[in-house]
Amino acid sequence: MATIDQLRSNPVVEDRGLDSTMILNMGPQHPSTHGVLRLLLEIDGETVVRVKPDIGFLHTGIEKTCEAKFYQQVVPLTDRIDYLCPMTNNLTYVLAVEKLLGLEIPPRAMWIRLMLNELTRINSHLVWLGTHALDIGAMTVFLYCFREREEILKMFEMVAGQRMMTSYFRVGGVSMDLPLGFLDYIKNFISYFPERIDQYSNLLTNNPIWQLRTKGVAVITKEDARTLMLSGPTARGSGVDWDLRRDMPYGGYDQLEFKVPIATEGDVYARYLIRMEELRESTNMVRQTIERLPGGPVKSDAPKVVLPDREAMKTQMEALIHHFKIVTEGFTVPEGEVYQGVESPRGEMGYYVVSDGTAKPYRVHMRSPSFANLNSIGVMCEHNLLADVVAAIGSIDIVLGDVDR
């Protein structure tokens, strides 16, 4: 944990003299930190000299908990890493385990995963846009974004019975098929959502106050973005042309057509434009998944790994036995290790899973984008105004559950 004495031991501070700067705490209760984050700020008047993030207030020990659970029991834990994109975490983990198992999933399950993963991206970006605008002083956008987000949460509840912590993706496919009327509900949503994006843009993009608060603010160069291992819209806003969906495709993304928005300015405004364009691209990808969604099963035919259908359990003793053994004893995974990365709404989300041949993972480590992207806050805020720290935090779209784990 950083202390005031450690900040003051900086030679630059000593050269100026302690009386020329002030050390302030921002958080851990400050609303603009979007979670329990403490920032140690050294300021000279209204100018930020240094920023030191202090994390760990939300540490849950989830990675260690995974070692005591069966592989299928880890899925609900992944929902709670980044609670704004739980299905993305589900996807990353199940893809990693399926790699270790050498398990193929049915085409219908693959397209359902793609559809819901992009809806999850839209959901996450809506929360980012609404809260980011609210932090800077634009209240109307917040209300509009949560109006559309409510529709997406209803979709999640339709397929999983849960609005946020869905645990819908499973090793070998998805938990159940799409309910009746679900596709019509999505088609209706994507038919009017582009107009709603235009509403957000009309309120902000050319707004002179918004531009004054975001253009040229919290700039991070392409070189710094690469050095700090940034990813997602934060890196792409600085000209880093990298998106795992396109450059290291997984889970069927190589069958979708989409563009990866890039900007070069590296400021808050550039990161805003990137995510606004991603809302449109994700809508287009959801449309493609609906058009290409095939029929067929939604779970692999692997009786010793995937739970059998409930109807089969009523008439087949073997199905009942497999169900009992998977639930009570889990399923074994061959020895080995694997890393699976996906493009989450915040950047590269990666799961490193190690198997020792038993029914429980030996190690599960999450490479979270918020943790990596938070490293940039010091570079972004240096020599900016104190009021711009709020805009900088919002522009990297951190989730503290994703930082601390």
Side-chain angles (χ1 to χ4, degrees):
M1 179 181 295
T3 65
I4 293 176
D5 290 337
Q6 288 173 331
L7 279 178
R8 288 184 169 181
S9 65
N10 180 14
V12 178
V13 179
E14 292 175 356
D15 291 343
R16 285 194 303 269
L18 293 178
D19 293 336
S20 66
T21 63
M22 179 182 296
I23 306 295
L24 294 179
N25 273 307
M26 182 176 176
Q29 78 288 348
H30 197 285
S32 72
T33 57
H34 300 285
V36 191
L37 170 69
R38 174 182 177 230
L39 293 179
L40 278 165
L41 298 172
E42 182 192 350
I43 59 173
D44 185 357
E46 289 290 321
T47 302
V48 175
V49 177
R50 249 183 101 160
V51 180
K52 183 84 171 181
D54 183 15
I55 64 174
F57 297 95
L58 278 180
H59 180 62
T60 57
I62 280 181
E63 291 188 3
K64 189 65 178 177
T65 304
C66 293
E67 299 173 13
K69 302 292 183 183
F70 295 136
Y71 279 93
Q72 71 269 26
Q73 292 175 328
V74 174
V75 174
L77 297 178
T78 65
D79 283 313
R80 290 153 177 81
I81 299 296
D82 183 343
Y83 36 79
L84 291 183
C85 61
M87 289 198 187
T88 305
N89 283 271
N90 293 166
L91 179 64
T92 317
Y93 172 72
V94 298
L95 285 176
V97 178
E98 287 165 1
K99 273 187 178 181
L100 286 170
L101 288 166
L103 191 63
E104 294 287 337
I105 67 169
R108 182 173 177 83
M110 181 195 76
W111 286 102
I112 290 174
R113 285 180 177 182
L114 288 173
M115 177 195 303
L116 292 171
N117 196 52
E118 289 308 312
L119 285 171
T120 298
R121 192 180 314 278
I122 295 173
N123 166 61
S124 179
H125 280 358
L126 287 174
V127 176
W128 157 78
L129 179 59
T131 54
H132 185 38
L134 190 63
D135 289 342
I136 298 178
M139 180 176 288
T140 305
V141 181
F142 174 83
L143 302 174
Y144 285 2
C145 288
F146 271 66
R147 174 188 61 189
E148 274 69 73
R149 180 183 183 242
E150 181 64 23
E151 294 303 306
I152 295 179
L153 293 182
K154 288 179 182 177
M155 297 176 198
F156 293 166
E157 189 172 14
M158 289 174 70
V159 297
Q162 172 60 266
R163 288 162 59 88
M164 289 185 66
M165 310 305 176
T166 56
S167 300
Y168 180 65
F169 298 168
R170 306 292 175 83
V171 176
V174 296
S175 63
M176 62 189 78
D177 206 347
L178 301 176
L180 292 174
F182 181 74
L183 293 180
D184 291 334
Y185 199 98
I186 295 183
K187 289 177 183 177
N188 180 58
F189 176 79
I190 63 176
S191 69
Y192 66 74
F193 185 60
E195 296 180 1
R196 302 294 171 85
I197 301 174
D198 292 338
Q199 284 186 345
Y200 316 149
S201 182
N202 290 337
L203 287 168
L204 295 178
T205 302
N206 295 318
N207 187 312
I209 299 175
W210 180 259
Q211 291 186 358
L212 284 171
R213 291 300 310 275
T214 57
K215 280 193 172 182
V217 174
V219 175
I220 186 163
T221 65
K222 183 177 182 179
E223 292 71 25
D224 284 339
R226 284 176 168 170
T227 300
L228 294 169
M229 300 296 289
L230 306 185
S231 60
T234 304
R236 291 192 286 273
S238 297
V240 179
D241 190 4
W242 180 256
D243 189 308
L244 289 175
R245 295 172 296 175
R246 180 198 63 194
D247 301 315
M248 298 181 67
Y250 54 90
Y253 272 105
D254 55 336
Q255 302 182 46
L256 290 177
E257 298 178 2
F258 60 95
K259 298 177 182 177
V260 177
I262 302 294
T264 56
E265 293 80 4
D267 56 9
V268 173
Y269 191 72
R271 294 187 280 276
Y272 156 77
L273 291 178
I274 292 291
R275 292 188 179 91
M276 290 293 284
E277 190 60 30
E278 285 191 358
L279 285 173
R280 301 184 189 277
E281 290 298 323
S282 291
T283 304
N284 180 46
M285 282 189 270
V286 171
R287 183 178 292 107
Q288 293 179 57
T289 61
I290 295 174
E291 294 171 352
R292 303 182 188 185
L293 184 66
V298 295
K299 293 187 288 187
S300 295
D301 184 16
K304 295 185 179 181
V305 174
V306 179
L307 290 175
D309 292 330
R310 291 190 175 276
E311 290 301 318
M313 291 167 52
K314 297 176 182 178
T315 58
Q316 302 174 21
M317 179 57 69
E318 291 177 349
L320 184 62
I321 292 173
H322 283 312
H323 183 279
F324 178 79
K325 289 182 70 66
I326 292 172
V327 170
T328 59
E329 301 175 5
F331 54 83
T332 58
V333 174
E335 286 189 42
E337 57 184 338
V338 67
Y339 175 82
Q340 175 65 53
V342 307
E343 188 71 30
S344 88
R346 270 154 284 286
E348 182 179 348
M349 165 64 72
Y351 275 58
Y352 172 64
V353 181
V354 181
S355 171
D356 58 0
T358 65
K360 297 178 181 179
Y362 178 78
R363 182 77 171 94
V364 178
H365 172 65
M366 295 88 170
R367 190 275 183 197
S368 58
S370 293
F371 179 80
N373 291 347
L374 185 59
N375 287 327
S376 66
I377 196 69
V379 177
M380 287 182 179
C381 294
E382 188 175 350
H383 305 309
N384 278 266
L385 294 176
L386 178 61
D388 293 334
V389 175
V390 172
I393 295 172
S395 73
I396 57 177
D397 189 23
I398 55 171
V399 171
L400 266 298
D402 195 40
V403 173
D404 292 340
R405 298 188 300 285

